[in-house]
Amino acid sequence: MSGFGRSAVSYAMPLAALAVAVAVRASGLSMDEGSLNIKIVVGALSSAIMFTTIFVVLEHAEAVARRVGEPYGTLVLTIAVTAIEVSIIVSMMLHGENNPTLARESVFSTVMITSTGVVGTCLTLGGWRHRKQAIVRQGTSAYLAVLVALTVMTLILPTYTRATDPGTFSAAQLGFVSVLSVLLYSGFLFAQTVRHRDDFIEGQAHGVSIRTAPHESVSASALLLLIGLVGIVMLAEQVAASVEDALVTYQVVQADAIVGALIAGLVLMPEAVSAVRAALNNELQRGLNVAMGSACATIGLTIPAVAAASLLTGRGLTLGLPVADTVLLILALFICNVSFSTERTTFLTGLVHIVVFFTYFFLIFIP
């Protein structure tokens, strides 16, 4: 797609996604209504439109990102994708019976997909094309420090608190940890965009051109980006709900883990594509900013949002991970620490991340 949103398809798809999503809702075929077969068909149609729209929205997001520059540009997708995930998780929490582990599975999947799958793909493909790639060690270390603190506080600590059942926080603990998560992420954003902005920017790679779209084109891209994201949120709800209903009907044991991974995979697709493109263009730091920024934003903003929904609705929320998932999470964070400890990476560094990602993916279906 060329022209950053000027083609007919790039204008039409965000509008089409929103129109289809609204039509499905208005027809009464969404979420709780209709037969299982109809919901599966609606889910398949929603998936096809959503996947197409995701790539169109990515073009608009990149146009806006190029206009505002780094590191602000990477925040465009990060905040937008986090808003999508929060909307989907909250709507799924309120869909049907209480599902206390859905938020945990979605957040855990997001961290694992970004820190092993997306980062691994960036390092492997970028390293294979360019042999060695440079990263800004201060920036990646900051990402990792925030990610470690947030994951341990929200996904591991609940298993060991004693105020309530294992894996859960009391209302006071949940509110306290949520506030700390927001404050930490806010402090990170201030450091990234204002106080220590240079730590997250690498020098422009040789041969990489920067295209700046006209102001009118960027304004149109920003509007279409917003419309497309709203459409994607509504369509993703249809897809996730259809999959959840099918898994429950066929009594699949790992239904929560599969749905959580599906939600994470759907909403992360624009960022994953953007990150891999950056790595292939020898802009590895930008790719890591997108991937690791998504992981930090997911915990720093999604957990407080679902915590607020849980406290307001009275629905249970289980955040503590099982032992096997805890081991995988610690392994992923440790490998990130080793990979980011130097200022250059190779394809071998990425292969280590990908191996852990495949292990995580395999254990979703065969725990």
Side-chain angles (χ1 to χ4, degrees):
M1 188 180 303
S2 61
F4 283 144
R6 294 184 177 181
S7 70
V9 173
S10 68
Y11 277 107
M13 285 310 302
L15 297 172
L18 182 60
V20 170
V22 172
V24 171
R25 288 291 184 89
S27 67
L29 298 177
S30 63
M31 304 294 278
D32 297 315
E33 302 181 22
S35 67
L36 175 62
N37 291 335
I38 292 178
K39 285 189 282 190
I40 290 176
V41 171
V42 171
L45 176 63
S46 300
S47 299
I49 297 175
M50 183 180 64
F51 282 124
T52 305
T53 307
I54 281 174
F55 288 97
V56 173
V57 164
L58 175 62
E59 296 292 342
H60 293 301
E62 288 188 341
V64 176
R66 294 292 185 182
R67 178 76 181 187
V68 300
E70 292 297 329
Y72 304 103
T74 59
L75 295 179
V76 174
L77 270 180
T78 297
I79 301 300
V81 166
T82 303
I84 292 175
E85 186 163 17
V86 170
S87 301
I88 295 174
I89 293 175
V90 172
S91 66
M92 294 294 290
M93 285 176 61
L94 303 178
H95 165 59
E97 298 180 358
N98 186 31
N99 193 345
T101 61
L102 178 63
R104 178 193 72 190
E105 296 296 340
S106 179
V107 171
F108 170 65
S109 295
T110 299
V111 176
M112 292 301 298
I113 291 172
T114 54
S115 64
T116 59
V118 179
V119 170
T121 303
C122 289
L123 297 179
T124 301
L125 296 182
W128 187 262
R129 170 174 286 189
H130 303 286
R131 295 184 66 85
K132 292 183 180 180
Q133 290 187 293
I135 60 175
V136 181
R137 185 175 177 181
Q138 295 89 338
T140 51
S141 296
Y143 275 119
L144 188 58
V146 173
L147 185 60
V148 169
L150 290 175
T151 51
V152 171
M153 284 196 307
T154 58
L155 298 180
I156 297 178
L157 184 60
T159 304
Y160 300 97
T161 54
R162 295 181 291 179
T164 55
D165 294 334
T168 62
F169 279 136
S170 66
Q173 290 172 335
L174 187 58
F176 180 72
V177 169
S178 298
V179 171
L180 288 183
S181 298
V182 172
L183 290 176
L184 179 56
Y185 185 68
S186 299
F188 170 74
L189 286 184
F190 176 74
Q192 183 187 23
T193 59
V194 181
R195 193 62 179 268
H196 302 290
R197 183 169 175 264
D198 292 342
D199 290 347
F200 301 88
I201 304 174
E202 64 179 340
Q204 185 68 29
H206 178 71
V208 178
S209 60
I210 298 179
R211 292 176 290 178
T212 303
H215 178 72
E216 296 78 7
S217 178
V218 173
S219 299
S221 292
L223 178 61
L224 290 170
L225 170 64
L226 179 61
I227 294 173
L229 288 175
V230 173
I232 290 171
V233 168
M234 297 177 68
L235 290 174
E237 283 186 33
Q238 309 300 327
V239 175
S242 299
V243 172
E244 183 182 43
D245 291 336
L247 294 175
V248 171
T249 300
Y250 294 109
Q251 299 180 344
V252 177
V253 178
Q254 289 286 94
D256 286 351
I258 295 174
V259 173
L262 176 66
I263 293 173
L266 290 176
V267 299
L268 285 173
M269 187 171 296
E271 287 192 308
V273 175
S274 178
V276 172
R277 283 181 178 177
L280 289 173
N281 289 334
N282 206 18
E283 298 176 287
L284 180 60
Q285 186 61 46
R286 179 171 177 264
L288 294 180
N289 287 349
V290 171
M292 300 300 290
S294 175
C296 292
T298 294
I299 302 182
L301 299 178
T302 301
I303 291 294
V306 298
S310 173
L311 294 173
L312 291 174
T313 62
R315 297 208 169 197
L317 184 62
T318 302
L319 294 177
L321 290 171
V323 176
D325 290 343
T326 301
V327 172
L328 275 178
L329 178 61
I330 293 174
L331 176 60
L333 295 175
F334 175 76
I335 290 175
C336 285
N337 182 59
V338 174
S339 299
F340 301 154
S341 62
T342 62
E343 296 182 353
R344 290 190 179 275
T345 64
T346 65
F347 83 95
L348 180 59
T349 311
L351 287 179
V352 178
H353 289 258
I354 290 179
V355 166
V356 178
F357 171 74
F358 282 134
T359 303
Y360 148 77
F361 189 75
F362 178 80
L363 291 178
I364 290 178
F365 300 96
I366 305 180

